[in-house]
């Protein structure tokens, strides 16, 4: 192996120089390979755009007579879509390209200065032409666009090269390089200080494009035959055992190789599109270049008239290779696809042309020796019949023929497009987008359907809201050299123009081109999600999530679709298939899925900062709604805390609304009513929904007159659900004429689902007493609930006995007992309730209601022992019944003389639920012993929310007398008079004035 490392025998300076260049040669290949595998990701990336959508969630359910009412709110779900970014301008690549090509140019002129005679002048002329191609006038040296820069460069380099060639030819290549490098440094300093451009070297780098392409193509031509030369070495090489029938093997192997390269060429020029494993073009170049390190040495006798291989030829080969690979790497890093296409074409053209002629060259010169087992590799470049130049010339003719066959203008225009793309990048990086757009247009015009220029123009047009132009440019970008970024951007553009089917077909095509690209799959999945084909949507999103689980977007979209389309039953299987990362949007959408099914999820989100982002606020809201489904709903103070931060003004209303839901769920009805009422009166946008929610709460609390008031306000603001709810509230409050009117409106409305209900209610409310006997059991139950008043106990007792179904009968009895209870007719309520005895009920919810009603009666009757025994029998209290539990604890503690716990319990229930009149009144009664004004404010607080409660009004009127608030007491008397019988009114009026007189005497 050592003998093949020809540089080992060189003097140390030459050897070290060569090894450094060899490392640079390897690094340039690595850079090319790295940028090749990154592909479009070199310049493009993904933006993730989260689009909010709404999913209706049932947060509470209320059973009001035969009606199952739901309170809903909208949860925000996010669908994450991708969009390709604008091309990133990699200025480092431009500077690296400039630096490497400058070193290549300096080493080249150093080697040219050592050329023999005539060839020195040829080389210097070429170098001078190279300098003129760099367009120094564009650098505006000294503020002028003249040839001063070129003249200075020629003065710096050409005399120095003549000095080394003619006067001091003994100076080594390394020292010559140092001298030319110093001259280059002087010129660079001049450019830096004399140029009027802000980044002159960035502009200068683009001027190297043409020279770099020419240098690279020459290098490609030089090495194009090396793989066939390798076949000769394998079959006839030194140190290897030659094989029998070597000529046959050589022809077969070479034919297979050339056929594969030719097929790849036909594929590249779009003449075939087979399902075939094509040759990797750049791997072909790398292999040829590595082989050429030794192959170029073998060819020394072909160029020794101009220079020696050691070290000039060896160094020249490496720097040409470095220039070639760095140019390819630079084009790939900057996404300059026209330049890459020039390389692809010429690599294939040259390997076909020079490879084919090299076979003829071998046969023409060594036909007789090919039948032997001699090591003809040693004399491969010492022809006897066909000169080596003839091989080069013949290969060049075939390459030219292939170029002409494919249209010679294409590589020329692509080369110019590569230059224009570079100039456009430089202007874009310099902050001149208008000039950049102009050069991108030039590039697009020169390279038809080039990706880089058209994609950049598409992004620019999109930014300028020129959607038609952007569509055209994105189509051009995907026509020849497609990228998932261009496909996705075009799909998004179609959607923005409501061209759904164009978007769908484009996304399908993208998936065909890039079947394993998660962003493309995500895009198609979201499109299917907008249709009824949810299975297809989940299929593509699932595939995207499994290809790239760390991204999280596809997974969050799956959860979003489950929530949007009420597919909660698929949640368990979805969770088992994926690992959920710490992705806020995935967790948010998962919360919404759980919220849709009223299923609690043990998830705690804590924003990093008190200033919330949109996703922070959404997560907090959805998490708080999810907490409503826990056995013990979480407190809502933290929501209000975030709402109080000035920077969170945008989210304040949403946070406070969810806090209200939590307050009500936790039994703090007073705060929930007050806060939501305040929100309703301060919000124009959602006030109607808020009023309707309060009305539902009032229905749930059996405060039907309060419910009517709020539903009317909601209906005035055109909230459509309020119409149905108002009809129920009028029915429950036994305002029969108004109820019939409302049901009639619903019956004549457009909602077909409500018409049967409306018609049934109209029939019940209009039932003639003489026709009651013809009613069915369920209708008879409705009649007792909605037509019979608290005064109709005699009629009720006769009718309820006609109901045989235990559940209907029990509900009818409980309804009548409640009517009597609300009127403060306790004895009558107890009498009616007694009819529930011996009823066998299967409805657990109804049974629980009956049990809790019995607790109220025991408490009202002062049967504290019976109350305690009943509770100890296993009656449970839910989170919204905590107030009731504390009320009973207060009564029991008071009876046992436990003043500490009594005060604690009554203090807790005093302001919690103004519709739980018994608890409020008991609390006021207890605190009146020590602080009459505290008792007064407890009752006043309750009446502000529940102003037509007979029990509260009676207690408040007497408390007004206690604290000498006579005006308030008399106003309350006027209200009470409209609600009770004259006898009841006279009784409370007499008590009030008697107490007023008593308190006057005390004062």
């Amino acid at each position: 192996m050592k003998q093949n490392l020809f540089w080992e025998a060189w003097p140390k300076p030459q050897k070290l120089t060569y090894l450094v260049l060899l490392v640079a040669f390897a690094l340039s290949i690595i850079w090319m390979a790295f940028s090749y595998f990154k592909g479009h990701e070199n310049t493009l990336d993904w933006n993730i755009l989260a689009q909010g959508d709404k999913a209706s969630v049932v947060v509470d359910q209320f059973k009001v007579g035969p009606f199952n009412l739901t309170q809903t709110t909208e949860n925000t779900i996010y669908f994450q879509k991708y969009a390709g970014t604008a091309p990133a301008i990699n200025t480092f690549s431009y500077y690296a390209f400039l630096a490497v090509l400058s070193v290549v140019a300096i080493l080249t002129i150093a080697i040219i200065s050592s050329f023999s005679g005539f060839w020195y002048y040829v080389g210097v002329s070429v170098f001078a032409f190279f300098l003129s191609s760099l367009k120094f006038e564009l650098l505006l040296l000294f503020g002028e666009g003249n040839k001063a820069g070129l003249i200075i460069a020629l003065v710096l380099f050409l005399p120095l090269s003549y000095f080394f060639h003619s006067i001091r030819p003994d100076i080594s290549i390394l020292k010559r390089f140092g001298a030319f490098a110093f001259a280059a440094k002087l010129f660079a300093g001049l450019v830096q200080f004399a140029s009027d451009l802000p980044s002159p070297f960035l502009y200068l780098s683009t001027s190297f494009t043409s020279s770099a392409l020419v240098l690279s193509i020459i290098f490609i031509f030089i090495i194009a035959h090396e793989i066939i030369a390798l076949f000769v070495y394998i079959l006839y090489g030194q140190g290897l055992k030659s094989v029998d029938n070597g000529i046959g093997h050589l022809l077969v192997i070479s034919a297979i190789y050339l056929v594969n390269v030719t097929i790849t060429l036909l594929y590249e020029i779009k003449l075939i599109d087979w399902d075939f494993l094509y040759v990797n073009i750049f791997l072909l170049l790398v292999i040829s270049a590595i082989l050429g390190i030794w192959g170029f040495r073998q060819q020394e006798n072909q160029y020794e008239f101009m220079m020696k291989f050691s070290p000039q030829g060896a160094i020249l080969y490496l720097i040409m290779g470095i220039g070639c690979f760095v140019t390819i790497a630079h084009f790939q890093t900057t996404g300059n696809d026209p330049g890459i296409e020039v390389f692809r074409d010429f690599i294939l053209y040259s390997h076909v042309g020079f490879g084919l002629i090299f076979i003829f060259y071998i046969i023409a010169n060594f036909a007789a020796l090919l039948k032997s087992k001699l090591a003809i590799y040693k004399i491969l470049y010492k022809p006897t019949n066909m000169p080596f130049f003839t091989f080069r010339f013949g290969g060049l003719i075939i390459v030219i023929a292939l170029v002409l066959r494919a249209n010679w203008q294409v590589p020329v225009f692509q080369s110019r497009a590569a230059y224009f793309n570079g100039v456009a990048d430089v202007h874009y990086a310099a902050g001149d987008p208008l000039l950049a757009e102009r050069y991108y247009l030039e590039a697009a015009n020169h390279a038809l359907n080039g990706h880089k220029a058209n994609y950049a123009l598409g992004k620019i047009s999109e930014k300028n809201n020129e959607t038609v132009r952007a569509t055209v440019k994105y189509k051009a970008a995907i026509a020849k050299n497609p990228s998932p970024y261009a496909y996705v951007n075009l799909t998004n553009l179609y959607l923005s123009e409501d061209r759904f089917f164009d978007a769908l077909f484009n996304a399908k095509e993208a998936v065909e081109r890039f079947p394993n690209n998660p962003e493309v799959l995500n895009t198609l999945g979201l499109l299917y999600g907008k249709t009824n084909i949810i299975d297809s949507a989940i299929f593509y999103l699932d595939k995207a999530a499994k290809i790239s689980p760390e991204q999280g977007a596809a997974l969050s979209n799956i959860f979003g679709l489950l929530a949007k389309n009420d597919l909660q039953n698929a949640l368990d299987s979805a969770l088992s298939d994926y690992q959920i990362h710490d992705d806020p949007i995935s967790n948010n959408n998962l919360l919404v899925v759980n919220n849709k099914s009223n299923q609690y999820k043990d998830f705690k989100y804590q924003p990093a900062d008190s200033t919330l982002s949109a996703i922070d606020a959404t997560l907090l809201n959805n998490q708080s709604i999810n907490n409503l489904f826990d056995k013990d709903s979480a407190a809502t103070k933290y929501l209000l805390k975030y709402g109080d931060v000035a920077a969170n003004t945008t989210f304040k209303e949403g946070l406070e609304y969810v806090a209200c839901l939590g307050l009500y769920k936790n039994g703090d009805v007073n705060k929930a009513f007050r806060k939501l009422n305040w929100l309703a009166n301060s919000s124009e946008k959602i006030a109607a929904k808020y009023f309707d929610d309060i009305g539902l709460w009032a229905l749930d609390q059996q405060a039907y007159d309060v419910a009517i008031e709020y539903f009317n306000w909601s209906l005035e603001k055109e909230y459509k659900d309020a119409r149905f709810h108002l009809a129920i509230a009028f029915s429950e409050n036994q305002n029969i004429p108004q109820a019939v009117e409302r049901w009639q409106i619903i019956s004549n409305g457009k909602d077909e689902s409500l018409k049967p209900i409306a018609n049934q209610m109209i029939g019940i409310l209009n039932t003639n007493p003489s026709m009651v006997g013809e009613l069915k059991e369920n209708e008879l139950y409705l009649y007792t609930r909605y037509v019979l008043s608290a005064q109709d106990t005699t009629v009720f007792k006769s009718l309820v006995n006609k109901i045989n179904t235990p559940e209907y009968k029990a509900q009818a009895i409980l309804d009548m007992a409640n009517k009597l209870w609300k009127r403060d007719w306790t004895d009558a309520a107890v009498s009616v309730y007694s009819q529930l005895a011996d009823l066998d009920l299967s409805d657990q919810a109804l049974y629980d209601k009956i049990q809790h009603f019995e607790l109220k009666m025991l408490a009202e009757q002062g049967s504290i022992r019976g109350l305690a025994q009943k509770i100890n029998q296993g009656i449970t209290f839910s989170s919204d019944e905590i107030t009731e539990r504390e009320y009973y604890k207060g009564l029991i503690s008071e009876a046992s003389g436990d003043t500490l716990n009594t005060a604690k319990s009554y203090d807790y229930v005093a302001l919690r639920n103004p519709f739980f009149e018994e608890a409020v009144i008991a609390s006021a009664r207890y605190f009146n012993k020590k602080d009459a004004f505290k008792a007064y404010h407890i009752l006043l607080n309750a009446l502000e929310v529940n102003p037509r409660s007979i029990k509260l009004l009676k207690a408040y009127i007497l408390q007004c007398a206690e604290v000498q608030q006579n005006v308030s007491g008399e106003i309350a008397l006027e209200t009470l008079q409209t609600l009770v019988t004259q006898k009841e009114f006279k009784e409370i009026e007499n008590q009030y004035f008697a107490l007023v007189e008593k308190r006057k005497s005390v004062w």
Side-chain angles (χ1 to χ4, degrees), residues 907-950:
D907 198 51
Y908 181 83
V909 303
L911 304 177
R912 289 276 290 181
N913 188 354
F915 303 103
F916 191 3
E917 295 102 331
E918 296 81 12
V920 174
I921 293 168
S923 176
R925 172 189 54 77
Y926 178 78
F927 289 114
N928 185 56
K929 298 173 185 177
K930 294 182 180 180
D931 188 346
F933 276 98
K934 180 175 182 178
Y936 170 79
H937 284 295
I938 290 171
L939 293 168
L940 178 61
N941 180 278
L943 273 174
E944 286 173 351
V945 178
N946 190 11
R948 296 175 66 81
S949 166
I950 292 173

Side-chain angles (χ1 to χ4, degrees), residues 880-904:
D880 56 350
E881 294 171 333
I882 298 173
T883 305
E884 183 182 355
R885 183 189 65 190
E886 285 298 320
Y887 165 56
Y888 299 140
K889 283 174 64 177
L891 290 174
I892 294 169
S893 298
E894 187 179 11
S896 65
D898 185 351
T899 56
L900 181 63
N901 284 320
T902 301
K904 185 177 178 181

Side-chain angles (χ1 to χ4, degrees), residues 165-217:
H165 175 263
S166 300
I167 301 174
R168 290 295 304 275
D170 57 310
I171 295 179
S172 68
I173 293 294
L174 191 57
K175 289 182 179 179
R176 297 183 189 206
F177 171 74
F180 284 114
F182 181 74
K185 188 174 181 180
L186 289 176
F187 187 77
L190 175 70
V191 170
Q192 178 66 40
F193 293 106
S195 175
D196 277 0
L197 297 179
S199 302
F201 294 111
L202 202 57
Y203 286 87
L204 183 60
S205 66
T206 62
S207 299
F208 274 81
T209 302
S210 299
S211 301
L213 279 170
V214 172
L215 175 72
S216 299
I217 291 171

Side-chain angles (χ1 to χ4, degrees), residues 343-412:
F343 277 100
R344 297 179 72 90
D345 290 344
F346 276 98
I347 291 169
L348 290 172
Y349 293 159
S350 61
H351 279 71
V352 170
F354 287 100
L356 181 63
I357 299 301
F358 194 61
I359 293 293
F360 288 109
Y361 166 83
I362 293 170
I363 294 172
N365 288 297
F366 311 108
L369 297 176
L370 287 173
K371 298 178 182 179
S372 68
K373 293 186 178 182
L374 297 175
I376 63 172
Y377 183 79
K378 294 180 179 180
I379 58 171
L380 190 58
Y381 299 105
K382 296 177 180 178
T384 56
N385 296 319
M386 179 180 177
F388 189 74
F389 170 77
T390 305
F391 147 67
R392 290 292 189 196
F393 186 70
L396 183 60
I397 289 174
I398 293 182
V399 170
I400 293 172
L402 289 171
V403 171
L404 292 174
R405 170 66 180 81
N407 188 349
W408 66 270
Q409 292 178 316
V410 170
V412 174

Side-chain angles (χ1 to χ4, degrees), residues 107-117 119-120 124 161 164-166 169 171-173 176 180 305-308 311-313:
L107 278 169
T108 301
I109 187 60
I111 293 170
I112 288 173
S113 69
S114 68
F115 280 6
S116 302
W119 296 105
Y120 163 74
V124 165
S161 72
F164 289 130
H165 175 263
S166 300
I171 295 179
S172 68
I173 293 294
R176 297 183 189 206
F180 284 114
F305 58 88
M306 182 171 57
M307 62 178 175
K308 297 291 184 182
Q312 293 97 323

Side-chain angles (χ1 to χ4, degrees), residues 773-907:
E774 299 178 9
L775 296 177
K776 299 176 183 177
E777 277 196 341
N778 68 312
E779 295 172 334
L780 189 57
Y781 156 66
L782 294 175
Y783 182 83
T784 62
R785 182 180 179 92
Y786 294 115
V787 179
L788 296 184
S789 67
Q791 290 92 336
D792 297 325
T793 52
T794 304
V795 177
F796 173 76
K797 288 180 180 178
S798 66
L799 291 179
V800 78
N801 290 327
K802 295 180 180 181
I803 302 176
N804 297 317
T805 304
E807 278 70 29
Y808 280 134
K809 188 170 186 174
Q811 187 65 65
I813 293 170
L814 185 60
D815 290 347
M816 180 56 76
N818 261 315
K819 290 175 187 176
L820 295 165
W821 187 266
K822 288 291 183 181
R823 292 298 302 268
D824 201 22
W825 297 347
T826 305
D827 293 340
V830 172
S831 175
V832 170
Y833 177 81
S834 64
Q835 298 179 64
L836 286 168
D838 302 325
L839 283 178
D840 186 16
L841 300 176
S842 59
D843 187 337
Q844 184 62 44
L846 177 58
Y847 178 79
D848 289 341
K849 284 183 179 181
I850 292 170
Q851 295 297 301
H852 282 275
F853 188 77
E854 185 172 341
L855 291 178
K856 281 186 180 182
M857 290 191 301
L858 290 169
E860 186 70 14
Q861 292 171 333
S863 179
I864 305 304
R865 179 175 292 180
L867 176 67
Q869 288 176 347
K870 189 71 177 177
I871 293 173
N872 290 333
Q873 287 175 4
I875 292 181
T876 58
F877 297 89
S878 62
S879 61
D880 56 350
E881 294 171 333
I882 298 173
T883 305
E884 183 182 355
R885 183 189 65 190
E886 285 298 320
Y887 165 56
Y888 299 140
K889 283 174 64 177
L891 290 174
I892 294 169
S893 298
E894 187 179 11
S896 65
D898 185 351
T899 56
L900 181 63
N901 284 320
T902 301
K904 185 177 178 181
S905 293
Y906 282 142
D907 198 51

Side-chain angles (χ1 to χ4, degrees), residues 291-317:
L291 293 174
I293 293 173
W294 288 269
F296 196 67
R297 178 193 177 207
Q298 295 294 111
Q299 301 169 41
E300 184 178 17
N301 62 306
Q302 299 296 326
Y303 54 78
E304 61 184 352
F305 58 88
M306 182 171 57
M307 62 178 175
K308 297 291 184 182
F309 174 75
S310 174
Q312 293 97 323
I315 292 175
L316 182 62
Y317 179 86

